[in-house]
mmCIF file of all heavy atoms in Angstrom:
data_model
loop_
_atom_site.group_PDB
_atom_site.id
_atom_site.type_symbol
_atom_site.label_atom_id
_atom_site.label_comp_id
_atom_site.label_asym_id
_atom_site.label_seq_id
_atom_site.Cartn_x
_atom_site.Cartn_y
_atom_site.Cartn_z
ATOM 1 N N ALA A 1 13.296 -13.124 21.262
ATOM 2 C CA ALA A 1 12.949 -13.335 19.849
ATOM 3 C C ALA A 1 13.641 -12.291 18.980
ATOM 4 O O ALA A 1 13.029 -11.708 18.088
ATOM 5 C CB ALA A 1 11.434 -13.275 19.667
ATOM 6 N N ASP A 2 14.933 -12.090 19.228
ATOM 7 C CA ASP A 2 15.667 -11.040 18.524
ATOM 8 C C ASP A 2 15.613 -11.214 17.011
ATOM 9 O O ASP A 2 15.502 -10.228 16.274
ATOM 10 C CB ASP A 2 17.130 -11.020 18.985
ATOM 11 C CG ASP A 2 17.953 -9.976 18.223
ATOM 12 O OD1 ASP A 2 17.697 -8.780 18.402
ATOM 13 O OD2 ASP A 2 18.826 -10.386 17.432
ATOM 14 N N GLU A 3 15.670 -12.443 16.519
ATOM 15 C CA GLU A 3 15.663 -12.653 15.066
ATOM 16 C C GLU A 3 14.388 -12.097 14.443
ATOM 17 O O GLU A 3 14.428 -11.465 13.390
ATOM 18 C CB GLU A 3 15.814 -14.137 14.744
ATOM 19 C CG GLU A 3 15.912 -14.417 13.252
ATOM 20 C CD GLU A 3 16.206 -15.871 12.946
ATOM 21 O OE1 GLU A 3 16.397 -16.660 13.883
ATOM 22 O OE2 GLU A 3 16.251 -16.213 11.747
ATOM 23 N N ASN A 4 13.245 -12.341 15.084
ATOM 24 C CA ASN A 4 11.987 -11.801 14.562
ATOM 25 C C ASN A 4 11.940 -10.284 14.658
ATOM 26 O O ASN A 4 11.454 -9.605 13.738
ATOM 27 C CB ASN A 4 10.803 -12.402 15.316
ATOM 28 C CG ASN A 4 10.484 -13.815 14.878
ATOM 29 O OD1 ASN A 4 11.017 -14.309 13.888
ATOM 30 N ND2 ASN A 4 9.615 -14.483 15.623
ATOM 31 N N TRP A 5 12.416 -9.720 15.760
ATOM 32 C CA TRP A 5 12.418 -8.266 15.907
ATOM 33 C C TRP A 5 13.266 -7.616 14.817
ATOM 34 O O TRP A 5 12.902 -6.570 14.281
ATOM 35 C CB TRP A 5 12.931 -7.879 17.299
ATOM 36 C CG TRP A 5 11.918 -8.077 18.380
ATOM 37 C CD1 TRP A 5 11.477 -9.267 18.894
ATOM 38 C CD2 TRP A 5 11.194 -7.064 19.077
ATOM 39 N NE1 TRP A 5 10.528 -9.062 19.861
ATOM 40 C CE2 TRP A 5 10.340 -7.716 20.002
ATOM 41 C CE3 TRP A 5 11.194 -5.675 19.027
ATOM 42 C CZ2 TRP A 5 9.484 -7.003 20.853
ATOM 43 C CZ3 TRP A 5 10.346 -4.967 19.876
ATOM 44 C CH2 TRP A 5 9.502 -5.638 20.775
ATOM 45 N N GLN A 6 14.383 -8.235 14.490
ATOM 46 C CA GLN A 6 15.240 -7.705 13.438
ATOM 47 C C GLN A 6 14.626 -7.925 12.055
ATOM 48 O O GLN A 6 14.606 -7.020 11.210
ATOM 49 C CB GLN A 6 16.621 -8.372 13.497
ATOM 50 C CG GLN A 6 17.402 -8.122 14.774
ATOM 51 C CD GLN A 6 17.956 -6.709 14.884
ATOM 52 O OE1 GLN A 6 17.992 -5.956 13.899
ATOM 53 N NE2 GLN A 6 18.399 -6.336 16.065
ATOM 54 N N GLU A 7 14.097 -9.122 11.823
ATOM 55 C CA GLU A 7 13.567 -9.457 10.499
ATOM 56 C C GLU A 7 12.334 -8.636 10.155
ATOM 57 O O GLU A 7 12.095 -8.306 8.988
ATOM 58 C CB GLU A 7 13.238 -10.948 10.441
ATOM 59 C CG GLU A 7 12.794 -11.424 9.076
ATOM 60 C CD GLU A 7 12.515 -12.919 9.055
ATOM 61 O OE1 GLU A 7 13.485 -13.684 9.065
ATOM 62 O OE2 GLU A 7 11.321 -13.293 9.042
ATOM 63 N N ALA A 8 11.536 -8.280 11.152
ATOM 64 C CA ALA A 8 10.304 -7.522 10.906
ATOM 65 C C ALA A 8 10.537 -6.025 10.835
ATOM 66 O O ALA A 8 9.579 -5.263 10.627
ATOM 67 C CB ALA A 8 9.281 -7.832 11.998
ATOM 68 N N SER A 9 11.771 -5.580 10.985
ATOM 69 C CA SER A 9 12.105 -4.159 10.929
ATOM 70 C C SER A 9 12.525 -3.792 9.515
ATOM 71 O O SER A 9 13.626 -4.131 9.068
ATOM 72 C CB SER A 9 13.227 -3.840 11.919
ATOM 73 O OG SER A 9 12.808 -4.069 13.255
ATOM 74 N N ALA A 10 11.663 -3.087 8.803
ATOM 75 C CA ALA A 10 11.929 -2.761 7.396
ATOM 76 C C ALA A 10 13.235 -1.998 7.224
ATOM 77 O O ALA A 10 13.900 -2.119 6.184
ATOM 78 C CB ALA A 10 10.768 -1.946 6.823
ATOM 79 N N ILE A 11 13.620 -1.235 8.220
ATOM 80 C CA ILE A 11 14.827 -0.422 8.119
ATOM 81 C C ILE A 11 16.069 -1.266 7.859
ATOM 82 O O ILE A 11 17.066 -0.777 7.317
ATOM 83 C CB ILE A 11 15.003 0.428 9.407
ATOM 84 C CG1 ILE A 11 15.962 1.587 9.158
ATOM 85 C CG2 ILE A 11 15.429 -0.441 10.586
ATOM 86 C CD1 ILE A 11 15.971 2.607 10.279
ATOM 87 N N ASN A 12 16.023 -2.551 8.206
ATOM 88 C CA ASN A 12 17.173 -3.440 8.016
ATOM 89 C C ASN A 12 17.283 -4.004 6.614
ATOM 90 O O ASN A 12 18.276 -4.673 6.306
ATOM 91 C CB ASN A 12 17.092 -4.622 9.004
ATOM 92 C CG ASN A 12 17.303 -4.213 10.439
ATOM 93 O OD1 ASN A 12 17.948 -3.204 10.708
ATOM 94 N ND2 ASN A 12 16.757 -4.979 11.368
ATOM 95 N N TRP A 13 16.302 -3.753 5.735
ATOM 96 C CA TRP A 13 16.204 -4.514 4.486
ATOM 97 C C TRP A 13 16.088 -3.646 3.242
ATOM 98 O O TRP A 13 15.608 -4.094 2.206
ATOM 99 C CB TRP A 13 15.030 -5.485 4.581
ATOM 100 C CG TRP A 13 15.098 -6.324 5.813
ATOM 101 C CD1 TRP A 13 14.401 -6.146 6.985
ATOM 102 C CD2 TRP A 13 15.962 -7.427 6.057
ATOM 103 N NE1 TRP A 13 14.765 -7.081 7.910
ATOM 104 C CE2 TRP A 13 15.731 -7.889 7.378
ATOM 105 C CE3 TRP A 13 16.915 -8.091 5.267
ATOM 106 C CZ2 TRP A 13 16.405 -8.963 7.918
ATOM 107 C CZ3 TRP A 13 17.594 -9.168 5.815
ATOM 108 C CH2 TRP A 13 17.341 -9.591 7.122
ATOM 109 N N VAL A 14 16.553 -2.429 3.314
ATOM 110 C CA VAL A 14 16.480 -1.530 2.163
ATOM 111 C C VAL A 14 17.452 -1.974 1.075
ATOM 112 O O VAL A 14 18.623 -2.265 1.341
ATOM 113 C CB VAL A 14 16.810 -0.090 2.587
ATOM 114 C CG1 VAL A 14 16.919 0.823 1.369
ATOM 115 C CG2 VAL A 14 15.753 0.430 3.558
ATOM 116 N N THR A 15 16.956 -2.041 -0.165
ATOM 117 C CA THR A 15 17.783 -2.331 -1.345
ATOM 118 C C THR A 15 17.265 -1.472 -2.496
ATOM 119 O O THR A 15 16.179 -0.876 -2.403
ATOM 120 C CB THR A 15 17.708 -3.809 -1.769
ATOM 121 O OG1 THR A 15 16.420 -4.068 -2.361
ATOM 122 C CG2 THR A 15 17.948 -4.753 -0.594
ATOM 123 N N PRO A 16 17.984 -1.412 -3.614
ATOM 124 C CA PRO A 16 17.454 -0.684 -4.775
ATOM 125 C C PRO A 16 16.137 -1.257 -5.299
ATOM 126 O O PRO A 16 15.412 -0.572 -6.044
ATOM 127 C CB PRO A 16 18.572 -0.821 -5.813
ATOM 128 C CG PRO A 16 19.821 -0.962 -4.988
ATOM 129 C CD PRO A 16 19.406 -1.796 -3.810
ATOM 130 N N ALA A 17 15.801 -2.491 -4.924
ATOM 131 C CA ALA A 17 14.533 -3.094 -5.349
ATOM 132 C C ALA A 17 13.360 -2.679 -4.478
ATOM 133 O O ALA A 17 12.204 -2.984 -4.807
ATOM 134 C CB ALA A 17 14.653 -4.627 -5.343
ATOM 135 N N SER A 18 13.619 -1.995 -3.362
ATOM 136 C CA SER A 18 12.543 -1.571 -2.475
ATOM 137 C C SER A 18 11.583 -0.628 -3.193
ATOM 138 O O SER A 18 11.980 0.144 -4.063
ATOM 139 C CB SER A 18 13.121 -0.876 -1.240
ATOM 140 O OG SER A 18 13.939 -1.753 -0.486
ATOM 141 N N ALA A 19 10.318 -0.696 -2.814
ATOM 142 C CA ALA A 19 9.291 0.142 -3.442
ATOM 143 C C ALA A 19 9.333 1.562 -2.889
ATOM 144 O O ALA A 19 9.661 1.770 -1.715
ATOM 145 C CB ALA A 19 7.915 -0.462 -3.183
ATOM 146 N N PRO A 20 8.981 2.553 -3.701
ATOM 147 C CA PRO A 20 8.812 3.921 -3.198
ATOM 148 C C PRO A 20 7.777 3.961 -2.073
ATOM 149 O O PRO A 20 6.790 3.214 -2.097
ATOM 150 C CB PRO A 20 8.320 4.692 -4.421
ATOM 151 C CG PRO A 20 8.789 3.890 -5.589
ATOM 152 C CD PRO A 20 8.740 2.461 -5.148
ATOM 153 N N VAL A 21 8.007 4.834 -1.097
ATOM 154 C CA VAL A 21 7.153 4.873 0.091
ATOM 155 C C VAL A 21 6.643 6.285 0.338
ATOM 156 O O VAL A 21 7.411 7.245 0.316
ATOM 157 C CB VAL A 21 7.905 4.389 1.349
ATOM 158 C CG1 VAL A 21 6.947 4.345 2.553
ATOM 159 C CG2 VAL A 21 8.541 3.017 1.130
ATOM 160 N N CYS A 22 5.341 6.388 0.600
ATOM 161 C CA CYS A 22 4.710 7.619 1.054
ATOM 162 C C CYS A 22 4.317 7.430 2.516
ATOM 163 O O CYS A 22 3.539 6.525 2.847
ATOM 164 C CB CYS A 22 3.474 7.919 0.219
ATOM 165 S SG CYS A 22 2.492 9.309 0.802
ATOM 166 N N PHE A 23 4.872 8.260 3.388
ATOM 167 C CA PHE A 23 4.527 8.245 4.804
ATOM 168 C C PHE A 23 3.482 9.318 5.063
ATOM 169 O O PHE A 23 3.685 10.487 4.723
ATOM 170 C CB PHE A 23 5.756 8.522 5.669
ATOM 171 C CG PHE A 23 6.847 7.488 5.562
ATOM 172 C CD1 PHE A 23 7.917 7.688 4.704
ATOM 173 C CD2 PHE A 23 6.804 6.334 6.321
ATOM 174 C CE1 PHE A 23 8.929 6.745 4.608
ATOM 175 C CE2 PHE A 23 7.809 5.390 6.237
ATOM 176 C CZ PHE A 23 8.879 5.588 5.375
ATOM 177 N N ILE A 24 2.360 8.925 5.670
ATOM 178 C CA ILE A 24 1.312 9.863 6.069
ATOM 179 C C ILE A 24 1.154 9.714 7.576
ATOM 180 O O ILE A 24 0.822 8.625 8.062
ATOM 181 C CB ILE A 24 -0.009 9.588 5.347
ATOM 182 C CG1 ILE A 24 0.189 9.599 3.823
ATOM 183 C CG2 ILE A 24 -1.071 10.608 5.755
ATOM 184 C CD1 ILE A 24 -1.055 9.205 3.040
ATOM 185 N N ASN A 25 1.396 10.800 8.314
ATOM 186 C CA ASN A 25 1.517 10.673 9.762
ATOM 187 C C ASN A 25 0.655 11.647 10.549
ATOM 188 O O ASN A 25 0.326 12.736 10.095
ATOM 189 C CB ASN A 25 2.970 10.881 10.190
ATOM 190 C CG ASN A 25 3.871 9.754 9.728
ATOM 191 O OD1 ASN A 25 4.717 9.948 8.860
ATOM 192 N ND2 ASN A 25 3.683 8.579 10.291
ATOM 193 N N SER A 26 0.336 11.202 11.761
ATOM 194 C CA SER A 26 -0.271 12.055 12.778
ATOM 195 C C SER A 26 0.825 12.876 13.447
ATOM 196 O O SER A 26 1.990 12.845 13.035
ATOM 197 C CB SER A 26 -0.968 11.178 13.822
ATOM 198 O OG SER A 26 -0.001 10.434 14.561
ATOM 199 N N ASP A 27 0.459 13.565 14.521
ATOM 200 C CA ASP A 27 1.432 14.339 15.285
ATOM 201 C C ASP A 27 2.098 13.513 16.386
ATOM 202 O O ASP A 27 2.858 14.061 17.190
ATOM 203 C CB ASP A 27 0.744 15.549 15.926
ATOM 204 C CG ASP A 27 0.238 16.562 14.912
ATOM 205 O OD1 ASP A 27 0.760 16.568 13.778
ATOM 206 O OD2 ASP A 27 -0.687 17.334 15.252
#
């Protein structure tokens, strides 16, 4: 299901229209 794995990966779809993102993470 490579198409879904690629399509669901946000890293592949960055554009100037993308929203600002705040990452809050554990260790």
Side-chain angles (χ1 to χ4, degrees):
D2 177 67
E3 184 174 357
N4 283 350
W5 283 72
Q6 297 287 346
E7 185 178 285
S9 296
I11 198 169
N12 291 335
W13 308 100
V14 172
T15 72
S18 298
V21 184
C22 173
F23 297 96
I24 305 175
N25 292 111
S26 68
D27 294 338

